[in-house]
Amino acid sequence: MNIMITGASGEYGNYAIDYLKRFAPEANLFGLVRNETKGEALKAKGVSVRIGDYTDANSMIDALKGIDRLLFVSVSRLNIQQNVVQAAQVNHVKYIAYTSISHPEYYKFGLETIHKQTENWIKKSGIPHTFLRNSWYTEVNQALFEYANKTKQFPYLSSEGKLSFALKKEYAEAGAKVIADGNYGEVLDLAGEPRTYHQIALATQEALNTKLEIKEIPANEFVPKLESAGISAQWASASEAYQEYVLKGNNGEDRASTADFEKVLGHPLMDLPLAIKELIDK
């Protein structure tokens, strides 16, 4: 069996490959990358590298030749993912597991539009498939974890609203299990337990095993405060954006359930303080 993992040089792709070596040891693993340089580390793992780009339809047709199952790792750009689906059709790929988004009927920074569009193309293709409707990565809160570790403070914008998330490697483990098995239903809602930012703060305090100054602050103070401690503007702004998203509500986050996720994994998701400690120690 030939299994292709797209986005193979990224973190999710790398994790998925490592899990697939355990879950499907007899399978031939292929990794899609955009250039030879990105493929060097994969070759060292014994993965066959294929070069392709979602924006280049012909490169995708060549890349998917002989592939039986496709772990289709999504990107955040409109329209280009149709090339991947069409290439899978041309090459008679037998099964697709696509990394979509949890509760795409709600606003998700506009990502819901991309995922609904791609899900529709996959449905129309007639290829058997599973939509891995992932919630957010715990890593989106990395700036806050690092700030707390540096300063023993945890500022946040509001205790109202919740965010559902889990570690990137946990989503990759689920994706690897699904593509290795090839026999799941059409939709899996892979969501973490929804939590308020105050709950996240308390979990961070436990992870660091030290008392934190946990404080709600005005939005205009948040990014400057994190930047003053050496947190990058990009990560600080991302953390602010997720908190504002939570504050606006009407986003489906409070409907999240871990049931599908833990059933696929065959074990519970990692306790949040342990997950936070892992990211801080990374």
Side-chain angles (χ1 to χ4, degrees):
M1 178 171 63
N2 295 331
I3 298 176
M4 164 74 79
I5 303 92
T6 71
S9 61
E11 278 192 319
Y12 179 102
N14 263 285
Y15 284 133
I17 286 166
D18 289 343
Y19 282 117
L20 276 166
K21 284 180 169 291
R22 286 166 45 193
F23 302 151
E26 302 303 315
N28 303 310
L29 301 183
F30 292 78
L32 183 79
V33 295
R34 282 180 293 176
N35 57 62
E36 290 286 353
T37 303
K38 288 182 177 290
E40 292 304 319
L42 296 175
K43 289 178 183 177
K45 288 185 175 185
V47 176
S48 299
V49 170
R50 297 269 179 95
I51 308 299
D53 190 309
Y54 289 5
T55 63
D56 183 340
N58 288 330
S59 78
M60 289 308 307
I61 289 170
D62 290 340
L64 293 184
K65 284 178 180 173
I67 297 302
D68 299 304
R69 297 181 187 175
L70 176 65
L71 180 52
F72 181 179
V73 181
S74 56
V75 296
S76 304
R77 287 179 60 188
L78 271 168
N79 303 321
I80 66 171
Q81 296 193 137
Q82 188 172 21
N83 289 331
V84 183
V85 180
Q86 289 176 340
Q89 283 181 282
V90 168
N91 285 293
H92 307 290
V93 169
K94 298 176 181 68
Y95 180 66
I96 295 174
Y98 170 69
T99 62
S100 189
I101 200 163
S102 184
H103 295 292
E105 66 273 22
Y106 291 93
Y107 172 74
K108 305 281 180 177
F109 297 100
L111 297 173
E112 74 284 356
T113 303
I114 296 166
H115 291 298
K116 285 190 285 190
Q117 180 187 61
T118 307
E119 284 190 9
N120 191 46
W121 287 326
I122 293 171
K123 283 180 185 177
K124 286 183 176 179
S125 76
I127 298 171
H129 57 270
T130 298
F131 299 139
L132 308 170
R133 288 190 176 163
N134 299 343
S135 58
W136 309 107
Y137 295 142
T138 309
E139 286 87 340
V140 302
N141 296 306
Q142 185 78 43
L144 273 170
F145 304 148
E146 290 183 12
Y147 183 80
N149 188 37
K150 284 184 173 185
T151 67
K152 306 302 178 272
Q153 299 174 7
F154 193 105
Y156 64 97
L157 303 189
S158 173
S159 57
E160 297 296 317
K162 294 183 177 182
L163 190 71
S164 164
F165 53 89
L167 287 170
K168 190 178 295 186
K169 71 176 187 180
E170 293 177 305
Y171 290 108
E173 181 182 354
K177 282 207 166 182
V178 169
I179 203 67
D181 183 271
N183 191 31
Y184 280 81
E186 184 174 39
V187 174
L188 287 171
D189 186 40
L190 305 181
E193 180 184 337
R195 293 176 170 92
T196 65
Y197 270 89
H198 188 261
Q199 289 173 318
I200 296 168
L202 293 175
T204 306
Q205 183 170 261
E206 186 177 338
L208 292 170
N209 194 29
T210 189
K211 183 74 174 173
L212 296 179
E213 182 188 346
I214 298 170
K215 186 178 179 182
E216 189 175 327
I217 66 170
N220 63 349
E221 294 180 14
F222 182 79
V223 171
K225 185 178 276 287
L226 267 64
E227 285 186 295
S228 70
I231 306 300
S232 77
Q234 180 185 359
W235 277 106
S237 296
S239 181
E240 180 187 39
Y242 277 96
Q243 291 186 69
E244 288 176 345
Y245 159 82
V246 162
L247 272 171
K248 286 177 183 173
N250 192 30
N251 51 30
E253 297 292 319
D254 56 351
R255 295 180 57 192
S257 165
T258 63
D260 274 2
F261 208 162
E262 293 183 340
K263 185 176 180 181
V264 171
L265 291 176
H267 59 77
L269 292 166
M270 187 181 288
D271 286 342
L272 183 55
L274 288 177
I276 292 170
K277 187 173 190 316
E278 184 172 297
L279 292 179
I280 289 170
D281 293 344
K282 203 170 179 180

